Amino acid sequence: MGKITNEELLQKLTAQFGENVTNVSEPYGLLTAETTRGQIIDLLNWLYNEPSLQFTYLTDITAIHYPEFEGKEMAVVYHVHSLVNNIRIRIKVFLAEGDINIPTATTIWNGANWMERETYDFFGVNFTGHPDLRRILNVDDMTVFPMRKEFPLEDPNRVDKKDYFFGR
Amino acid sequence: MQNFPAYTDTDLQSELSTLNLGPTHPATHGVFQNVLQLDGERIVSGVSTIGYIHRAFEKIAEHRPFYQITPLTDRLNYCSAPINNMGWHMSVEKLLDIQTPKRVDYMRVIIMELSRIADHIVCNGVLGVDTGAFTGFLYMMEHREAIYEIFEEVCGSRLTTNIGRIGGFERNFNDIAFAKIRQFLVNFPKTLNEFESLFNRNRIFVDRTKGVAPVTAEQALGYSWSGPILRATGVDYDVRAMNPYCSYEDFDFEVPVGTSGDVYDRFLVRNEEMKQSMRIIEQALNKIEKEDPNIFHADVPEFYLPPKEEVYNNMEALIYHFKIVMGEVKTPVAEVYHSVEGANGELGFYIINDGGRSPYRLHFRRPSFINYQAYAPMSRGMLLSDAIINMSSLNIIAGELDA
């Protein structure tokens, strides 16, 4: 099967999902699109099953915390790879603080299991329908989600590394 | 999506026993805990517990300038640290849009392929040890030492190398380094042949590995496997060939694949990969001779630390030195995903940058972490001793697993 370009991929994606695919960009040649929580599993399923695309390889699931984005505090990012066409796509779903739930992708890939557990462990993203959503790298009795931005690595009262000392 | 079947046997004993395999079991070569339910010697079910050496690298990386993240990547897969270092450098270079000269690419290729060989030496050697043959391991270990001596010559350290800089290398390869690389290419093939003749048709080894832990291509892809263990199932996915980075497109090499995805196939795939790596190194050495011997880094003064003697005697160098160390250099607001073919599979770096001196968020796609999750399901119905060699052949590195 021949290679397909980002434009062709985007055309097919918008033809299928229309309004539900937004904020399309192409940083460093990797097609990036945003979708909604309601559509994500349909979209991943479609990417997986569409015979001309075959995005059958899940590269990565992770999250990014943007505390300053009102109503879009948590981004869950999927990297999916079509080995047949050798093209990758990045899908993002933004979630609001207080309602960080998203359906699990373990229904499509077994490999999503630990990736989602890791994302839950560090960001508190609740993957609904996940068969075994427990902490994975941190201790079980931890109560916080440490990769969130409200947990600074160093003592926040420390002043010797403040930016204004360096003219920033 | 094809899952591993549950183990159902109507002749189960009335009572199962629980075995805590690890976290410090000598047979697992690392910090791995598996709580196994055993029926005699057969595993009924298992649960993997990981995170014993979790060091929060992703969090630490959010507070460090780009060049100080390199030592963190050393400690992911410490059996082939230079691949991680260079994968990281190349990701940052992609972010900053830095083009490296061909000679730098070839130097990197040499170092990366040497570390791939070093990693496979350990994996296949230990697989031999786990099946009861210490000899092969000792034969091969001598040559890992030779590789570490090359690293030492190039960067001064051996295991956690922190090799190279953003844009290239901290110093040029000297003649001794080149001589050692050439010597390695002469010495190692003999030992590898000897190693293969010790194992490939060895009755005990074949009986212990053939048909053990077979994995189909569908199962492997469903679990997002990558690297030699995926290729052993027959899928020819190799980042070097599919998305060439670091001028891999200039090289002529083959991607070995297996058929059944069992332990024996993984062993053969790794052996063949070492041979291909040597082919690549040989080509790289020939290509380097045609390049300007004085180039060992890209011309990016904003990111590449100037040599000390220039810092003290040259105004511009001093300014750049100060700007780099104090984090005054502008970086683009962007996100980038870059992956390299690590010794265990696709090693990816996902950087989200907000223009500051350190990344806003950095995520490592760690092949060991993703490969290991199939371990407990695939162990169902396996003999305990087979599960041990299965773990050896997956080549899970605890540092990469727990990050």
Side-chain angles (χ1 to χ4, degrees):
Chain A
M1 206 172 291
K3 278 181 107 176
I4 53 171
T5 60
N6 281 346
E7 288 75 44
E8 289 165 6
L9 173 59
L10 182 62
Q11 262 175 17
K12 287 184 181 178
L13 198 63
T14 43
Q16 187 74 17
F17 290 92
E19 296 291 287
N20 289 313
V21 176
T22 50
N23 272 340
V24 180
S25 59
E26 223 177 294
Y28 302 92
L30 182 55
L31 186 70
T32 303
E34 211 180 298
T35 188
T36 59
R37 172 167 56 193
Q39 290 292 319
I40 179 67
I41 294 304
D42 287 350
L43 196 149
L44 293 175
N45 251 324
W46 176 77
L47 285 173
Y48 187 103
N49 290 317
E50 168 66 34
S52 63
L53 299 177
Q54 302 188 38
F55 280 86
T56 51
Y57 190 80
L58 176 68
T59 304
D60 199 22
I61 297 177
T62 190
I64 312 162
H65 188 210
Y66 296 105
E68 69 278 14
F69 287 9
E70 192 86 16
K72 297 174 87 177
E73 279 91 350
M74 193 64 75
V76 180
V77 189
Y78 298 80
H79 285 89
V80 198
H81 192 169
S82 167
L83 296 180
V84 178
N85 297 305
N86 193 16
I87 187 169
R88 295 169 193 264
I89 188 170
R90 179 189 293 142
I91 309 285
K92 289 185 177 182
V93 179
F94 281 91
L95 305 168
E97 192 71 79
D99 181 25
I100 306 181
N101 299 299
I102 188 166
T104 175
T106 49
T107 48
I108 310 170
W109 294 283
N110 285 317
N113 191 320
W114 279 20
M115 300 184 198
E116 290 183 351
R117 276 180 69 185
E118 193 191 20
T119 311
Y120 163 75
D121 191 0
F122 288 104
F123 292 92
V125 178
N126 181 28
F127 291 91
T128 49
H130 189 284
D132 184 26
L133 198 63
R134 288 179 294 125
R135 288 194 179 271
I136 186 160
L137 290 178
N138 290 309
V139 286
D140 290 338
D141 49 2
M142 198 169 195
T143 53
V144 296
F145 301 108
M147 282 295 283
R148 289 177 173 229
K149 291 287 176 188
E150 65 253 37
F151 303 109
L153 187 70
E154 289 179 2
D155 178 4
N157 299 317
R158 189 171 169 175
V159 291
D160 58 334
K161 285 192 175 175
K162 285 284 186 245
D163 272 355
Y164 54 78
F165 281 109
F166 303 109
R168 284 193 285 268
Chain B
M1 188 165 84
Q2 191 184 352
N3 206 344
F4 297 97
Y7 177 61
T8 47
D9 188 346
T10 43
D11 300 333
L12 279 182
Q13 287 181 5
S14 57
E15 211 171 277
L16 297 180
S17 51
T18 305
L19 178 72
N20 256 303
L21 185 68
T24 53
H25 196 280
T28 57
H29 312 291
V31 195
F32 307 104
Q33 187 188 23
N34 283 283
V35 183
L36 304 172
Q37 294 293 324
L38 294 179
D39 171 29
E41 271 198 73
R42 211 165 270 281
I43 297 167
V44 177
S45 65
V47 177
S48 305
T49 312
I50 69 168
Y52 282 96
I53 57 164
H54 173 55
R55 292 143 297 173
F57 282 160
E58 291 180 6
K59 190 79 180 177
I60 296 171
E62 289 176 8
H63 296 258
R64 285 202 180 180
F66 290 98
Y67 67 95
Q68 285 186 0
I69 294 173
T70 321
L72 297 180
T73 64
D74 280 334
R75 285 144 183 88
L76 291 172
N77 182 348
Y78 39 72
C79 286
S80 51
I83 301 184
N84 308 340
N85 298 157
M86 289 174 187
W88 167 246
H89 292 142
M90 283 183 268
S91 308
V92 177
E93 283 158 15
K94 193 171 173 183
L95 175 79
L96 303 172
D97 208 14
I98 295 171
Q99 299 295 326
T100 46
K102 280 283 177 193
R103 185 163 190 271
V104 172
D105 285 358
Y106 299 148
M107 286 160 83
R108 282 183 171 169
V109 165
I110 293 176
I111 297 296
M112 284 194 287
E113 293 307 319
L114 282 173
S115 28
R116 191 180 319 281
I117 293 174
D119 197 291
H120 289 351
I121 284 176
V122 176
C123 176
N124 275 356
V126 165
L127 187 62
V129 174
D130 285 348
T131 55
F134 217 126
T135 324
F137 177 71
L138 293 175
Y139 280 13
M140 298 281 269
M141 222 44 185
E142 189 189 334
H143 295 279
R144 192 185 77 147
E145 188 62 26
I147 293 174
Y148 278 7
E149 275 178 25
I150 296 168
F151 293 165
E152 217 172 352
E153 207 58 62
V154 171
C155 74
S157 49
R158 296 156 57 84
L159 188 72
T160 50
T161 47
N162 191 16
I163 200 169
R165 297 287 180 264
I166 293 164
F169 281 85
E170 65 273 34
R171 63 177 80 84
N172 209 342
F173 288 10
N174 56 21
D175 294 341
I176 302 171
F178 279 117
K180 281 186 172 169
I181 295 166
R182 288 192 190 282
Q183 193 57 46
F184 176 78
L185 288 182
V186 173
N187 290 345
F188 183 58
K190 291 181 212 151
T191 313
L192 186 58
N193 282 336
E194 219 170 348
F195 182 75
E196 286 196 307
S197 56
L198 270 175
F199 282 94
N200 283 13
R201 287 172 57 74
N202 180 322
R203 183 63 189 272
I204 301 170
F205 182 74
V206 173
D207 280 357
R208 285 283 274 125
T209 54
K210 209 164 194 161
V212 169
V215 177
T216 65
E218 287 77 24
Q219 284 168 335
L221 288 172
Y223 274 99
S224 294
W225 274 16
S226 52
I229 58 171
L230 174 67
R231 290 191 282 277
T233 68
V235 182
D236 60 344
Y237 175 47
D238 186 320
V239 187
R240 290 176 294 171
M242 214 151 169
N243 306 98
Y245 52 91
C246 199
S247 299
Y248 266 109
E249 66 274 12
D250 296 357
F251 295 93
D252 187 22
F253 65 99
E254 276 156 36
V255 178
V257 292
T259 48
S260 59
D262 58 9
V263 175
Y264 186 63
D265 269 18
R266 292 174 209 154
F267 176 82
L268 295 183
V269 165
R270 284 205 173 87
N271 275 344
E272 187 55 36
E273 271 187 21
M274 288 194 255
K275 290 181 184 164
Q276 297 297 332
S277 292
M278 281 187 289
R279 252 179 90 184
I280 296 173
I281 297 170
E282 214 163 285
Q283 294 171 42
L285 283 174
N286 292 335
K287 284 177 197 293
I288 275 189
E289 283 177 358
K290 300 189 188 89
E291 305 286 331
D292 180 352
N294 296 316
I295 293 176
F296 59 97
H297 62 87
D299 185 23
V300 278
E302 305 95 323
F303 300 101
Y304 184 85
L305 269 179
K308 264 290 177 293
E309 53 271 29
E310 275 184 38
V311 174
Y312 293 136
N313 298 310
N314 180 326
M315 178 73 149
E316 244 179 43
L318 177 66
I319 292 171
Y320 279 127
H321 179 94
F322 184 80
K323 286 182 96 168
I324 292 169
V325 172
M326 301 313 284
E328 298 283 336
V329 187
K330 288 255 180 317
T331 52
V333 179
E335 57 184 319
V336 62
Y337 177 82
H338 184 68
S339 59
V340 297
E341 181 70 28
N344 281 337
E346 181 178 346
L347 175 71
F349 298 88
Y350 180 35
I351 311 171
I352 292 99
N353 195 33
D354 60 352
R357 65 196 298 240
S358 47
Y360 183 78
R361 162 119 174 82
L362 172 63
H363 182 69
F364 302 111
R365 185 216 190 263
R366 313 185 303 280
S368 286
F369 177 76
I370 291 165
N371 294 347
Y372 187 53
Q373 61 177 315
Y375 180 70
M378 75 195 283
S379 298
R380 292 194 285 247
M382 216 181 264
L383 288 171
L384 180 59
S385 52
D386 289 347
I388 296 286
I389 57 168
N390 182 28
M391 190 190 277
S392 297
S393 75
L394 292 179
N395 195 24
I396 307 300
I397 309 290
E400 195 174 56
L401 177 71
D402 292 344

